[in-house]
């Protein structure tokens, strides 16, 4: 009798767990990404911001090209949402209600079908005409190297050659990869959609989302650092969620909790 009761209790517990997991899965959605993705994919303001960024980058580069430097000059750019536009992947995540995963990302990146961001190709050609190479430092993984090279090359990017593409091997910080470039070059300009694309000083976001560091380096923006827009994802997101593996409802509460109203 006792064993029967225990078995029944265990069965009820398992049923409860499986129902809970099922409900949580049903609750999962990517709706919080819809507005930012629509804006990024369709608004002419997004395109204008890219043109603005690359126009300023071009002007700065023309100035820097006249300055004397100890080493040859170079430009460092990020790839995703900087030179290549992956918004179809973002949109597909919402349409299919899928969480980000390396497998799903690979499915997209291996197609090598990302379009260029507005002004990016022209900027790469300007660098070429000034004789200043571009290093593409990206956190795409090394197994995406061929597809990434093919994607950049097919769009006509200057410096779309293996020696100028540096992907992620073992760490997400780009510090060591920038330092490798600096062994032979002076980096005069950096372009990215994530502050971590510019300097490791931005990697610590524990104090007010990293805002004090931006204040400290405010004169660099529009000069050596050119920031492009990305409201869909980035290191800024990490400040929303206090822990990993949160359930959809907890994530939703966490997002709401960081909003600051006026009451
Ligand atoms: Mg990026």
């Amino acid at each position: 009798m006792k064993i029967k009761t225990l078995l029944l209790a265990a069965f009820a517990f398992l049923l409860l767990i499986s129902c809970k997991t099922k409900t949580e899965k049903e609750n999962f959605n990517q709706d919080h990404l819809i507005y930012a993705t629509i804006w990024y994919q369709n608004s002419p303001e997004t395109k204008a911001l890219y043109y603005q960024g690359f126009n300023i980058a071009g002007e700065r580069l023309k100035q820097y090209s006249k300055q004397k430097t100890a080493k040859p000059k170079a430009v460092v750019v990020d790839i995703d949402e900087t030179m290549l536009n992956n918004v179809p992947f973002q949109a597909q995540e919402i349409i299919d209600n899928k969480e980000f995963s390396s497998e799903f990302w690979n499915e997209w990146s291996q197609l090598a079908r990302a379009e260029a961001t507005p002004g990016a190709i022209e900027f790469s050609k300007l660098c070429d005409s000034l004789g200043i190479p571009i290093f593409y430092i990206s956190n795409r993984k090394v197994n995406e190297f061929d597809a990434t090279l093919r994607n950049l090359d097919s769009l006509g990017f200057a410096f779309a050659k293996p020696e100028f593409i540096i992907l992620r091997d073992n760490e997400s910080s780009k510090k060591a990869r920038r330092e490798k470039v600096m062994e032979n070059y002076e980096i005069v300009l950096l372009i990215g959609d994530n502050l971590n694309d510019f300097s490791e000083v931005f990697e610590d976001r524990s104090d007010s989302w990293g805002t004090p560091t931006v204040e400290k380096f405010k004169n660099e923006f529009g000069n050596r650092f050119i920031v492009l827009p990305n409201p869909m994802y980035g290191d800024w997101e990490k400040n929303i969620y206090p822990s990993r593996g949160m359930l959809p409802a907890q994530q939703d509460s966490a997002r709401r909790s960081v909003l600051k109203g006026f009451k």
Side-chain angles (χ1 to χ4, degrees), residues 144-154 159-162 165:
E144 297 172 76
F145 191 91
D146 292 347
T148 304
L149 176 60
R150 200 165 65 244
N151 201 155
L152 290 168
D153 184 49
S154 67
F159 303 101
K161 292 181 185 139
I165 298 171

Side-chain angles (χ1 to χ4, degrees), residues 53-95:
F54 282 115
N55 285 343
I56 295 169
E59 288 309 308
R60 291 289 170 267
L61 197 65
K62 284 179 205 162
Q63 291 169 359
Y64 294 139
S65 70
K66 293 173 194 152
Q67 292 172 10
K68 271 206 171 301
T69 46
K71 292 176 190 169
K73 299 172 187 70
V75 170
V76 164
V77 299
D78 166 54
I79 293 180
D80 296 314
E81 278 50 77
T82 296
M83 308 307 264
L84 293 180
N85 173 338
N86 301 288
V87 74
F89 170 76
Q90 292 292 126
Q92 203 63 51
E93 272 190 327
I94 300 167
I95 295 164

Side-chain angles (χ1 to χ4, degrees), residues 40-59:
Y40 191 93
Q41 193 158 42
N42 301 286
S43 81
E45 281 80 359
T46 303
K47 290 161 187 72
L49 280 167
Y50 275 89
Y51 283 126
Q52 179 172 278
F54 282 115
N55 285 343
I56 295 169
E59 288 309 308

Side-chain angles (χ1 to χ4, degrees), residues 123-142:
F123 175 77
S124 77
K125 289 181 175 167
L126 174 72
C127 293
D128 196 18
S129 72
L130 294 169
I132 301 175
I134 294 181
F135 287 90
Y136 298 86
I137 300 185
S138 164
N139 276 347
R140 285 185 173 211
K141 301 205 177 89
V142 286

